[in-house]
Amino acid sequence: MASENSPLLAYRLLGDEGVAFSANGAGGPGGASARKLSTFLGVVVPTVLSMFSIVVFLRIGFVVGHAGLLQALAMLLVAYFILALTVLSVCAIATNGAVRGGGAYFMISRTLGPEVGGSIGLMFYLANVCGCAVSLLGLVEAVLDVFGADSTGSSGLHVLPQGYGWSLLYGSLLLGLVGGVCTLGAGLYARASFLTFLLVSGSLASVLVSFVAVGPRSIPLTPRPGPNGSSLPPQVGHFTGFNSSTLKANLGAGYAKDYTTGAMMTFASVFAVLFNGCTGIMAGANMSGELKDPSRAIPLGTIVAVTYTFFIYTLLFFLSSFTCDRTLLQEDYGFFRAISLWPPLVLIGIYATSLSASMSSLIGASRILHALAQDDLFGVILAPAKVVSRTGNPWGAVLYSWGLVQLVLLAGKLNTLAAVVTVFYLVAYAAVDLSCLSLEWASAPNFRPTFSLFSWHTCLLGVASCLLMMFLISPGAAGGSLLLMGLLSALLTARGGPSSWGYVSQALLFHQVRKYLLRLDVRKDHVKFWRPQLLLLVGNPRGALPLLRLANQLKKGGLYVLGHVTLGDLDCLPSDPVQPQYGAWLSLVDRAQVKAFVDLTLSPSVRQGAQHLLRISGLGGMKPNTLVLGFYDDAAPQDHFLTDPAFSEAADGTQEGGSPALSTLFPPPRAPGSPRALSPQDYVATVADALKMNKNVVLARACGALPPERLSRGSGGTSQPHHVDVWPLNLLRPRGGPGYVDVCGLFLLQMATILGMVPAWHSARLRIFLCLGPREAPGAAEGRLRALLSQLRIRAEVQEVVWGEGAGAGEPEEEEEGDFVNGRRGDAEAEALASSANALVRAQQGRGRGGGPGGPEGGDGEGGPATALTFLYLPRPPADPARYTRYLALLETLTRDLGPTLLIHGVTPVTCTDL
């Protein structure tokens, strides 16, 4: 993709001579040397000629005759109101920074991004292509009206054969002439446009004088074919001079059939033709690459051109309504020639205007296409449009556009294309208004245009007006254009676009997120709306990919932060080593397809870094409430980058686009027996720190053994059935209220239920194990638990197991939770209890698999599905730090050979039975 530099880098100092564009910053095809055109020649002249086009000479009678003066003026006001709103947006964007080649496409793409900008740019290009064809067809129509062999007019040499094929030939020859001028460069085009401007101005002056100087006359009209092939009686139109009766008759609408197409005219169809003739406001902006000072020339020249053309159109509407009867207006669209003092001058104006409009559309289309090709958004299909001459003229884009115009000429009829062209222009105008609206709403400090006569109200009204008129003119074309834009945007999104352009969507998101974060009041939190907000501490993601994905499933729409601690002291380092790592971690998030933020910190120890992240991660009401850690054991780390399909990379160690592979951005997994960054003491201390900060804690063990289909993003409905086992009671506390479920036990139930809501886990069956004491009557505790589950809307299978006959069977009822963990019962007794609890859990897993070995790898046996994941109650760490190592050993014994296991300790209420 084309690289973008900072706007400041587009300039270089030239001693005392001021500031000039550098060659790569000029933005036009030929760099700074190609910027030769002034405001008048580069913007005013082409914009005026494009907005006049054929309408000013050949469609004034069409509009006034069918719509009447009042509706014609209403159409003109609506059209220019829409245009004026868009002009305000164009002026704002053009005066907010350097405008390069591509005009409206450049403005839209650099604001809305390559996906939207590229799709609308291509549609605007097609609108210019179709506009060129419309102008040429209008010119052919005007020529054949005078010189056609089948023409019945009283004047002219009727020598040119007529018919579809001949019209196509004449259009192709005229297109060759227009293409030749555009191929030779913008300089020749500007000189030709100025000469055309003089001819058109002279012709319009003669028409205005003729309305006053010519007396009343009758004008015979060309006979029209009847319904059965016979000719209708000849009609006569009347030029009455200034007559109040004529004006009164022309005030109201009188829609009839268009004699060129035979279609019945309506407000929408007439407006489409009128608006199509006024859609040249971007003609000057399209020449931005050739303008000396585009930021000044585009707004000034466009406003002057729009004001001038509005005045001329209004004057011609009034003069026609005062002096011509409706028959003349509806049956002879070229009546200017019949009432002119010197008819050939009107012909010269018609031909010159049509040629100029077609040249303007063709050269504008070529500049847009060249900019699209330079940005490489559509790949090799636009590669020929990159070719330029030694002087910087993109003749390859001109020839490319010439070929497309030739195809459009096959449509044949002028009014047939009008609605499609108008809709495409309206899409582009709506996009310009949307770009300006987005910049205004984003409130970015760097959006400070020198043109200030606009607001978000004008932009929003411009967008709404354009969309409304699109569907009024042609619902089918409007729907098709929006569908085409969506398909092109999807294509560009799939291909990927330049990320250095700047996306206004990011600024808008920032603005909205900041606003709503300020409204997210933590004092209004309620347990009904609790959701897990996870901070997952990751040492090396190579060995943690399954845990990354499992935590992503557990978040349930909450905050998910990947935290990493880099060891070091900033005082001893030349620069911060953390900042360069963010790109690799964000790429990891993209490749793993998890919805997570990344938070990195630098700290002398992992424990201190974890404290930093627990305190400062998140913002406002979105802060982690749960710490997730991998289990601390002696298992050799696995490199999941080598086995995960999402992380498959090319043999040369690069990704698509040539960026470094993730395997080169993260170190290889720790070798077995090598030193660790975190000691067992600090690991348990980190758990204790999190609980002191009132954070829930999740310790995940053996997540690499999870069934792959359970970690996928799709539904698990067709996968092998599994169990999710939940032990909501503290197995290292064998007595003290059997059947009792505390806050931590309810937290386990909530997390297991959340996991079951994930599509990949829908088919898994939730089992809850209720431990009974040796003297506990079966059924009573189960009934209480089932009642609780019913209140909590949790669907699960409840199983009672006897627990406590061995270890602690004769102990007193008032045994405290921390007796075994804190060492009050002795290490041997605690180890025996942990081993017994481990055997109990494995026995229940074995039942689910028909007696197979522990772990989720066992297949479906006679006893039922395998256990995919086990939720266990995590006891609090001991109060004495000297017993941290022993505490970790108990946890290792408790979870040994259980397969994927989550040890969870919850400290906050998370369930609610109220509505």
Side-chain angles (χ1 to χ4, degrees):
M1 299 295 179
S3 62
E4 291 289 316
N5 298 321
S6 168
L8 293 178
L9 300 181
Y11 296 89
R12 66 171 184 269
L13 294 178
L14 299 178
D16 296 329
E17 298 179 4
V19 179
F21 278 102
S22 64
N24 64 350
S33 61
R35 294 181 176 268
K36 301 176 181 178
L37 301 183
S38 64
T39 301
F40 182 73
L41 290 179
V43 181
V44 175
V45 170
T47 303
V48 167
L49 293 176
S50 295
M51 295 186 71
F52 278 158
S53 65
I54 60 171
V55 173
V56 72
F57 288 109
L58 293 181
R59 289 298 181 264
I60 295 294
F62 171 84
V63 174
V64 177
H66 288 286
L69 177 61
L70 296 180
Q71 288 194 20
L73 290 176
M75 291 179 184
L76 191 67
L77 288 173
V78 170
Y80 271 80
F81 178 71
I82 296 174
L83 296 177
L85 294 174
T86 304
V87 167
L88 296 180
S89 300
V90 170
C91 294
I93 297 176
T95 58
N96 189 54
V99 180
R100 303 185 183 182
Y105 158 70
F106 181 86
M107 300 177 191
I108 297 170
S109 62
R110 268 48 173 189
T111 303
L112 300 181
E115 294 83 5
V116 177
S119 61
I120 296 178
L122 184 60
M123 294 179 65
F124 190 46
Y125 165 74
L126 294 176
N128 278 272
V129 167
C130 293
C132 178
V134 166
S135 298
L136 290 174
L137 289 172
L139 178 56
V140 171
E141 178 184 314
V143 170
L144 292 179
D145 279 346
V146 180
F147 301 105
D150 298 335
S151 175
T152 57
S154 58
S155 62
L157 299 175
H158 307 300
V159 294
L160 295 179
Q162 291 185 245
Y164 171 78
W166 288 106
S167 297
L168 179 61
L169 175 61
Y170 302 146
S172 301
L173 293 176
L174 292 171
L175 176 60
L177 173 63
V178 170
V181 173
C182 295
T183 304
L184 294 178
L188 179 60
Y189 162 76
R191 291 191 290 271
S193 294
F194 181 64
L195 176 61
T196 306
F197 180 77
L198 295 179
L199 293 174
V200 172
S201 298
S203 180
L204 281 175
S206 73
V207 170
L208 295 176
V209 171
S210 298
F211 274 112
V212 179
V214 174
R217 64 176 62 176
S218 298
I219 302 172
L221 303 176
T222 303
R224 306 300 175 199
N228 299 320
S230 60
S231 296
L232 294 174
Q235 292 181 292
V236 177
H238 297 90
F239 178 78
T240 63
F242 288 92
N243 189 304
S244 58
S245 299
T246 303
L247 174 63
K248 184 177 180 180
N250 287 329
L251 285 178
Y255 294 106
K257 288 187 177 181
D258 174 19
Y259 69 83
T260 64
T261 62
M264 186 67 186
M265 292 295 98
T266 62
F267 181 93
S269 59
V270 174
F271 178 80
V273 175
L274 172 64
F275 192 84
N276 175 67
C278 306
T279 50
I281 59 172
M282 294 293 186
N286 291 341
M287 301 300 295
S288 58
E290 282 82 9
L291 297 174
K292 292 179 181 178
D293 185 4
S295 294
R296 178 182 179 273
I298 290 175
L300 178 60
T302 305
I303 290 175
V304 170
V306 170
T307 304
Y308 174 71
T309 55
F310 178 76
F311 173 75
I312 295 298
Y313 274 126
T314 304
L315 185 59
L316 289 174
F317 281 1
F318 271 107
L319 293 176
S320 300
S321 300
F322 263 107
T323 60
C324 303
D325 68 355
R326 194 176 294 273
T327 302
L328 177 61
L329 296 176
Q330 288 185 345
E331 298 297 329
D332 186 2
Y333 298 154
F335 73 95
F336 281 176
R337 188 163 53 90
I339 67 171
S340 175
L341 290 172
W342 191 44
L345 191 55
V346 176
L347 286 180
I348 293 174
I350 293 173
Y351 301 159
T353 304
S354 300
L355 273 177
S356 176
S358 61
M359 281 194 298
S360 177
S361 296
L362 184 60
I363 201 167
S366 67
R367 268 45 182 181
I368 296 170
L369 183 65
H370 180 69
L372 283 166
Q374 288 290 92
D375 289 336
D376 200 23
L377 296 181
F378 293 93
V380 296
I381 192 172
L382 298 185
K386 295 182 181 180
V387 180
V388 297
S389 65
R390 286 181 297 178
T391 58
N393 180 44
W395 61 268
V398 174
L399 295 180
Y400 203 109
S401 304
W402 172 86
L404 287 181
V405 175
Q406 184 65 61
L407 292 177
V408 176
L409 287 177
L410 296 174
K413 288 295 183 180
L414 173 62
N415 291 354
T416 305
L417 294 173
V420 176
V421 174
T422 304
V423 166
F424 275 25
Y425 275 123
L426 283 169
V427 170
Y429 294 168
V432 173
D433 290 322
L434 180 61
S435 300
C436 191
L437 176 66
S438 303
L439 291 170
E440 180 70 7
W441 272 353
S443 300
N446 281 324
F447 182 62
R448 44 181 186 269
T450 57
F451 182 86
S452 58
L453 298 178
F454 76 101
S455 70
W456 68 266
H457 304 86
T458 62
C459 300
L460 182 60
L461 190 57
V463 174
S465 301
C466 290
L467 293 177
L468 177 62
M469 294 313 302
M470 281 170 53
F471 285 94
L472 284 179
I473 291 171
S474 176
S481 65
L482 294 179
L483 177 62
L484 176 61
M485 184 182 70
L487 293 175
L488 292 173
S489 298
L491 172 64
L492 292 175
T493 301
R495 290 195 76 243
S499 59
S500 58
W501 288 3
Y503 291 77
V504 74
S505 59
Q506 296 296 306
L508 287 169
L509 286 173
F510 178 88
H511 185 267
Q512 293 300 107
V513 167
R514 181 194 63 84
K515 180 173 72 174
Y516 288 111
L517 272 177
L518 290 173
R519 296 184 182 180
L520 188 61
D521 192 345
V522 294
R523 295 169 296 183
K524 298 179 181 179
D525 282 348
H526 194 278
V527 65
K528 288 191 298 185
F529 307 111
W530 180 91
R531 66 182 71 229
Q533 306 201 77
L534 309 180
L535 170 63
L536 172 61
L537 289 185
V538 180
N540 189 337
R542 284 176 173 270
L545 276 181
L547 179 54
L548 256 69
R549 293 195 171 105
L550 180 62
N552 184 65
Q553 295 174 330
L554 287 171
K555 71 180 186 304
K556 186 52 181 174
L559 179 68
Y560 180 24
V561 180
L562 294 182
H564 174 72
V565 180
T566 299
L567 298 179
D569 187 349
L570 195 58
D571 291 338
C572 304
L573 298 171
S575 61
D576 184 9
V578 170
Q579 294 301 321
Q581 299 179 26
Y582 272 96
W585 284 87
L586 292 174
S587 297
L588 170 73
V589 168
D590 294 337
R591 296 285 285 277
Q593 295 184 315
V594 296
K595 298 177 180 179
F597 297 95
V598 173
D599 215 343
L600 312 179
T601 189
L602 180 70
S603 178
S605 70
V606 174
R607 180 185 177 187
Q608 291 183 23
Q611 292 177 0
H612 297 166
L613 293 173
L614 282 169
R615 292 185 187 278
I616 66 175
S617 290
L619 193 63
M622 294 188 66
K623 297 184 72 69
N625 56 29
T626 304
L627 174 66
V628 184
L629 296 170
F631 194 77
Y632 196 100
D633 57 19
D634 296 327
Q638 299 179 1
D639 190 352
H640 294 283
F641 279 17
L642 301 179
T643 57
D644 196 301
F647 289 81
S648 58
E649 291 156 350
D652 59 355
T654 60
Q655 304 179 48
E656 292 183 9
S659 56
L662 282 178
S663 59
T664 64
L665 301 177
F666 294 103
R670 175 182 56 84
S674 60
R676 298 189 178 192
L678 184 65
S679 66
Q681 189 84 5
D682 282 349
Y683 177 82
V684 180
T686 300
V687 175
D689 293 341
L691 294 176
K692 290 176 184 177
M693 296 180 189
N694 204 37
K695 308 291 185 184
N696 311 297
V697 175
V698 177
L699 305 182
R701 184 172 191 182
C703 288
L706 281 167
E709 66 271 15
R710 296 299 178 186
L711 296 178
S712 65
R713 293 171 58 88
S715 174
T718 59
S719 62
Q720 179 181 348
H722 290 104
H723 279 147
V724 174
D725 292 349
V726 182
W727 297 77
L729 302 180
N730 186 358
L731 294 178
L732 297 184
R733 180 192 179 191
R735 306 296 298 272
Y740 172 73
V741 178
D742 59 5
V743 170
C744 181
L746 291 175
F747 188 87
L748 261 75
L749 292 176
Q750 183 80 330
M751 296 299 285
T753 303
I754 288 173
L755 186 64
M757 295 178 180
V758 178
W761 290 87
H762 279 171
S763 63
R765 303 173 189 172
L766 184 62
R767 295 194 301 180
I768 301 176
F769 291 93
L770 183 61
C771 298
L772 300 180
R775 293 181 295 274
E776 177 82 11
E782 180 182 350
R784 292 194 300 270
L785 181 58
R786 289 189 182 277
L788 176 63
L789 295 177
S790 176
Q791 288 183 312
L792 297 176
R793 290 88 61 203
I794 297 176
R795 299 178 60 184
E797 173 188 347
V798 179
Q799 295 188 12
E800 291 182 334
V801 294
V802 179
W803 174 234
E805 295 99 336
E811 302 300 333
E813 294 291 333
E814 62 272 10
E815 183 175 338
E816 298 180 6
E817 176 182 353
D819 282 354
F820 286 93
V821 172
N822 287 316
R824 299 189 185 102
R825 293 294 175 183
D827 292 345
E829 190 175 355
E831 181 70 22
L833 177 63
S835 297
S836 299
N838 175 264
L840 175 67
V841 176
R842 282 196 296 154
Q844 298 304 317
Q845 290 181 342
R847 262 188 207 177
R849 294 187 307 273
E857 293 83 356
D860 290 345
E862 296 177 358
T867 297
L869 185 62
T870 302
F871 287 78
L872 294 182
Y873 189 117
L874 174 67
R876 276 184 174 271
D880 183 7
R883 300 200 57 82
Y884 281 176
T885 304
R886 185 60 192 159
Y887 168 80
L888 187 58
L890 287 176
L891 297 183
E892 197 282 330
T893 302
L894 176 64
T895 59
R896 184 181 301 154
D897 297 330
L898 294 185
T901 304
L902 296 182
L903 287 159
I904 298 178
H905 191 96
V907 296
T908 55
V910 296
T911 58
C912 181
T913 59
D914 296 334
L915 182 63

